[in-house]
Amino acid sequence: GENVEQHPSTLSVQEGDSAVIKCTYSDSASNYFPWYKQELGKGPQLIIDIRSNVGEKKDQRIAVTLNKTAKHFSLHITETQPEDSAVYFCAASDQTGANNLFFGTGTRLTVIP
Amino acid sequence: DSGVTQTPKHLITATGQRVTLRCSPRSGDLSVYWYQQSLDQGLQFLIQYYNGEERAKGNILERFSAQQFPDLHSELNLSSLELGDSALYFCASSVEASGNGEQYFGPGTRLTVT
């Protein structure tokens, strides 16, 4: 099955700086890559996703890039704010005909005011 | 708020017991997924239902089972509970059964087995 690796496990940045989280996946047939933000005591919240026919997608301060050849994708957060502090998970879809997500191990982002 | 609801929020029970977790998907979503989140295993896919039918199975133990009812709500049954079953259990829903539909997660049920 799909194996997703995520780095770094923790990341601290100063408010206003950028944050980058990277993921790699193993199944070249995967073609859907969502990112989730999980705040303490809450469920994962979908913040952005990308499909394999697109190399980059942007939504305000958040962007995701995908390199299918290298099998890696990244989350970029610009102008970070304290409310961006959370655990971020990348995921890749299962391609067995279902829609099951395989998650990375998470990155705890701390934005220092 | 994702629109996915889960009850109960917290559950404390003893080893060997059986519990039922409940999930109501977003309005219009036909697919329900169950995930387990533990410190050592991360977020793991357990099982998926689409419009009442089991669609896919992941790392779900034989002691666990699920079903989706005609009104599309789903229940996850955990039996013969062990200490290691303590975790957060999330359900997610999507419109589609496949084709990479967006999944929206509920707030989770925290299960503690003592």
Side-chain angles (χ1 to χ4, degrees):
Chain A
E2 176 68 277
N3 181 46
V4 178
E5 294 190 357
Q6 183 172 348
H7 300 280
S9 57
T10 60
L11 180 59
S12 291
V13 300
Q14 290 291 137
E15 182 177 357
D17 287 351
S18 295
V20 180
I21 302 170
K22 299 182 179 181
C23 290
T24 60
Y25 60 99
S26 60
D27 188 348
S28 56
S30 290
N31 63 10
Y32 175 62
F33 307 93
W35 285 88
Y36 285 85
K37 174 184 180 182
Q38 187 175 21
E39 296 174 313
L40 195 61
K42 297 186 178 181
Q45 174 195 0
L46 179 66
I47 57 172
I48 196 167
D49 57 15
I50 192 166
R51 299 172 196 274
S52 61
N53 57 347
V54 174
E56 182 174 359
K57 183 176 178 181
K58 192 171 181 180
D59 182 4
Q60 299 182 337
R61 297 185 298 107
I62 294 174
V64 58
T65 58
L66 171 65
N67 183 328
K68 282 223 76 179
T69 303
K71 291 190 283 187
H72 68 70
F73 56 114
S74 301
L75 178 71
H76 304 252
I77 306 174
T78 58
E79 301 172 19
T80 53
Q81 301 168 3
E83 50 266 38
D84 295 329
S85 296
V87 179
Y88 291 81
F89 292 94
C90 62
S93 68
D94 175 74
Q95 290 299 297
T96 60
N99 186 27
N100 316 313
L101 296 176
F102 289 82
F103 284 85
T105 49
T107 296
R108 181 173 299 280
L109 173 65
T110 302
V111 180
I112 303 164
Chain B
D1 185 359
S2 67
V4 178
T5 60
Q6 289 186 248
T7 56
K9 193 171 177 66
H10 301 280
L11 201 48
I12 302 174
T13 190
T15 54
Q17 295 299 304
R18 173 189 168 94
V19 296
T20 297
L21 314 184
R22 183 188 168 105
C23 167
S24 292
R26 294 188 318 158
S27 177
D29 284 359
L30 300 178
S31 210
V32 170
Y33 310 78
W34 286 97
Y35 291 86
Q36 179 191 57
Q37 185 176 39
S38 59
L39 283 174
D40 57 344
Q41 294 289 327
L43 263 166
Q44 297 233 318
F45 166 69
L46 295 178
I47 196 164
Q48 177 199 9
Y49 277 80
Y50 177 76
N51 204 21
E53 299 288 326
E54 182 183 302
R55 177 80 180 191
K57 265 186 174 178
N59 298 321
I60 189 166
L61 300 172
E62 286 191 11
R63 301 183 284 108
F64 296 0
S65 65
Q67 53 185 326
Q68 186 179 28
F69 295 85
D71 68 352
L72 301 176
H73 91 271
S74 177
E75 292 181 357
L76 179 67
N77 301 296
L78 314 176
S79 61
S80 303
L81 285 167
E82 302 174 0
L83 295 177
D85 297 328
S86 296
L88 275 165
Y89 291 84
F90 290 102
C91 94
S93 73
S94 70
V95 172
E96 302 157 22
S98 61
N100 308 320
E102 298 163 357
Q103 293 186 30
Y104 295 89
F105 281 72
T109 293
R110 180 176 294 278
L111 173 66
T112 303
V113 182
T114 62

